Amino acid sequence: MPTSALTPCPLYINGEWLQPKIPGTPVYNPSTGDVIAECPAGGAAEVNAAVEAAAAAFPKWRETPAVERARFFFRYRQLVEENFDRICHSISREHGKTLAEARGSSFRGLENIEYAAGIPSLLFGDTLENLANGVDCETINQPIGVCAGITPFNFPAMVPLWMYPLAIACGNTFVLKPSEKVPLTVVLLIELLEKAGLPKGVMNLVHGGREAVDTILTHPKVRAISFVGSSPIAKYIYETGTRHGKRVQANGGAKNYIVIMPDADVDKTVGALSAAAFGCAGERCMAGSTAITVGAAAERLLPSLIKAASAIKVGPTDREEQPDMGPVITAQHRDRVASLISSGEKEGAQVVCDGRGAKPASAPRGFYVGATIVDNVQDSMTLAREEVFGPVLNVMRMDDLDRAIETANRSSFGNGAAIFTRSGGAAREFKHRVKAGMVGINVGVPATMAMFPFTGWDDSFYGDLHIQGKEAVQFYTQQKVVTTRWFGGDVGDVWKK
């Protein structure tokens, strides 16, 4: 594809859109395999300029009253809503989500803007009169300075919207580095920030790879870093950032277990499990990637589940007629997913629904894997241990709930877990004992909404304060405690006269 046909992919630094003449990486439309843009590989110079701009803008922005910052986000929310279809089509084009999936995830992002618009109430401190005789005490939540976000490819709008609206609403300034695989939707979101009237330097956008990330992690003026991505990178981000004195919240990968009890409603469980395993082509950290069937649940569930998975239509998402499931992000990722499926076969599992041959006639160069179910997966198998991040459902068979919970708890991850049952006792036992930060009871994807924290555990999260909700407000602010006593003289003792 000629360069002139590529979609521009600029940086945004100190209120200016910049198109640097530096080498870049191709951005694909996964539905077709076509190159649609080139993401500039920015490095230390670009990050330094963005951080300096954010640092210079911080003193004035932090003094902007919280109610005015809230009004800004009301304006921003309206603009995002007015441009909702543009945002969703951009997501489908550069990522491959169906329009329904793009709309669903973008709406979750919109909820984070709405949450940020309530910032005056979220910043309330505490007071205690007469802590001691004539002494009063209060707490104040103040912004911390320049914050940064490093976001993944799988949710081009939603994950950035987890971060910068609340950080900016709290009075901070921000530098965002999105995935070089999906940089275009973020450009649109920041254009709308600019249109809403955000002052120069409060929001900045940089692109790049390892050099850009390392510069963010080590820059002395960056105070806090939010990250979502794979667990090895999350651990690196956390260790490097904290070693350089930053606050870090780093969300990693997952291996989410869904336990199906013998008394589960088959039709409702099949629908929820299909959505959890194959929604967004399995490219999400809340994907229900492993089903543990207990007792007779396998025989009751599998025939309907295989039928449902086989009926999932795979195809391009960049046109009017929409499929049930779109492509995965790159050809390399498609091949990795296929390789992991093959490893399960080699190690003794059975592929009972095989999506490796998916190749829509209308888009033969796209990056497709169909819905896949692998039965009789064992703990020792590669497929059971590694996060596949594709439309692959492992099925494990257990005799009882105790063994199912023990199996789930052996995972090094701890993002989400779910159970499908009609039994309150089984649900309570599971909720109480399973080692995961987000638990669903007859809910296949227990992802939280904006007012609740996204609470991964263990290798699924590195840090103390999670993304979203009140924990995120704490992350983006620092608490000041003020103790006050007034002595005599013309001021303090007037009331005695």
Side-chain angles (χ1 to χ4, degrees):
M1 182 179 287
T3 303
S4 59
L6 299 182
T7 302
C9 184
L11 286 69
Y12 185 71
I13 298 175
N14 199 30
E16 302 292 332
W17 290 101
L18 308 170
Q19 192 71 59
K21 294 181 179 179
I22 53 179
T25 57
V27 179
Y28 291 93
N29 176 345
S31 289
T32 63
D34 293 333
V35 176
I36 58 173
E38 186 175 300
C39 182
E46 289 75 23
V47 172
N48 286 335
V51 173
E52 291 298 334
F58 174 64
K60 186 174 181 180
W61 181 247
R62 69 164 289 170
E63 295 303 325
T64 302
V67 290
E68 291 186 25
R69 300 198 300 263
R71 291 183 190 120
F72 166 81
F73 280 101
F74 279 113
R75 294 195 299 273
Y76 186 49
R77 185 207 180 281
Q78 182 176 346
L79 287 169
V80 169
E81 194 169 54
E82 289 170 358
N83 289 272
F84 200 73
D85 283 346
R86 286 180 62 204
I87 293 167
C88 294
H89 278 91
S90 176
I91 292 168
S92 288
R93 182 173 177 245
E94 70 175 341
H95 176 272
K97 287 188 191 301
T98 66
L99 280 174
E101 291 167 345
R103 289 186 180 112
S105 63
S106 296
F107 192 78
R108 283 295 177 93
L110 193 63
E111 289 170 347
N112 280 270
I113 299 174
E114 294 169 344
Y115 188 69
I119 197 63
S121 298
L122 296 172
L123 288 177
F124 278 5
D126 298 309
T127 62
L128 180 61
E129 189 179 41
N130 277 338
L131 176 69
N133 254 345
V135 178
D136 303 328
C137 195
E138 62 181 317
T139 62
I140 301 169
N141 297 309
Q142 296 186 327
I144 56 178
V146 178
C147 301
I150 302 167
T151 59
F153 74 81
N154 58 329
F155 287 98
M158 185 185 76
V159 173
L161 289 170
W162 279 358
M163 300 176 184
Y164 69 80
L166 195 55
I168 291 172
C170 285
N172 303 292
T173 53
F174 208 85
V175 176
L176 177 64
K177 195 217 81 69
S179 167
E180 58 272 27
K181 294 181 177 70
V182 291
L184 303 177
T185 301
V186 162
V187 170
L188 175 54
L189 289 172
I190 294 178
E191 286 176 352
L192 299 177
L193 274 177
E194 186 178 47
K195 189 174 181 180
L198 191 68
K200 289 184 177 183
V202 175
M203 181 69 180
N204 301 273
L205 171 67
V206 295
H207 302 295
R210 174 104 185 221
E211 183 183 347
V213 169
D214 284 346
T215 306
I216 290 170
L217 296 177
T218 59
H219 199 293
K221 291 185 180 179
V222 173
R223 296 291 310 281
I225 298 164
S226 301
F227 172 82
V228 175
S230 69
S231 289
I233 304 301
K235 184 178 181 183
Y236 173 79
I237 295 285
Y238 177 75
E239 291 177 347
T240 307
T242 53
R243 191 165 63 246
H244 286 85
K246 286 109 179 51
R247 291 185 179 183
V248 181
Q249 49 180 202
N251 282 61
K255 199 74 177 176
N256 304 314
Y257 291 81
I258 299 180
V259 173
I260 299 100
M261 299 299 289
D263 66 346
D265 182 299
V266 170
D267 290 342
K268 288 183 171 59
T269 302
V270 166
L273 189 53
S274 296
F278 309 128
C280 297
E283 293 178 318
R284 54 184 176 183
C285 64
M286 289 301 292
S289 58
T290 300
I292 302 180
T293 59
V294 175
E299 283 69 30
R300 295 185 67 235
L301 183 81
L302 273 176
S304 297
L305 183 62
I306 293 168
K307 183 179 178 181
S310 300
I312 292 174
K313 179 185 174 185
V314 181
T317 62
D318 61 347
R319 51 207 72 180
E320 189 173 345
E321 185 181 352
Q322 286 285 294
D324 302 312
M325 188 170 74
V328 295
I329 189 67
T330 62
Q332 292 80 7
H333 189 56
R334 174 198 62 203
D335 296 344
R336 177 184 177 274
V337 172
S339 174
L340 283 167
I341 297 168
S342 297
S343 77
E345 275 185 314
K346 291 174 184 174
E347 294 173 20
Q350 293 85 49
V351 179
V352 294
C353 182
D354 196 342
R356 285 173 290 184
K359 195 171 185 178
S362 62
R365 295 190 298 114
F367 314 136
Y368 296 97
V369 181
T372 299
I373 300 174
V374 186
D375 193 12
N376 285 306
V377 173
Q378 305 299 316
D379 255 355
S380 58
M381 295 179 181
T382 305
L383 198 56
R385 297 193 310 270
E386 290 197 22
E387 183 181 29
V388 178
F389 224 62
V392 179
L393 176 65
N394 299 336
V395 177
M396 305 177 80
R397 300 180 182 224
M398 306 286 165
D399 295 329
D400 54 45
L401 179 59
D402 281 342
R403 190 173 166 215
I405 294 173
E406 289 165 5
T407 298
N409 287 350
R410 279 197 294 271
S411 173
S412 62
F413 299 108
N415 220 37
I419 186 170
F420 282 80
T421 183
R422 287 188 171 98
S423 167
R428 187 184 185 281
E429 184 76 4
F430 182 82
K431 177 179 72 172
H432 179 66
R433 289 174 52 195
V434 75
K435 294 180 180 178
M438 291 166 281
V439 177
I441 297 173
N442 297 316
V443 174
V445 183
T448 57
M449 294 175 68
M451 61 290 298
F452 286 96
F454 196 87
T455 52
W457 288 7
D458 300 328
D459 285 354
S460 292
F461 180 75
Y462 295 87
D464 297 304
L465 296 169
H466 292 85
I467 284 172
Q468 290 195 148
K470 292 180 181 178
E471 284 195 45
V473 177
Q474 290 178 273
F475 181 79
Y476 289 125
T477 59
Q478 53 193 351
Q479 193 173 74
K480 180 179 287 183
V481 182
V482 180
T483 306
T484 305
R485 170 188 286 157
W486 294 103
F487 295 107
D490 294 335
V491 179
D493 286 345
V494 168
W495 62 275
K496 292 183 176 180
K497 294 180 181 179

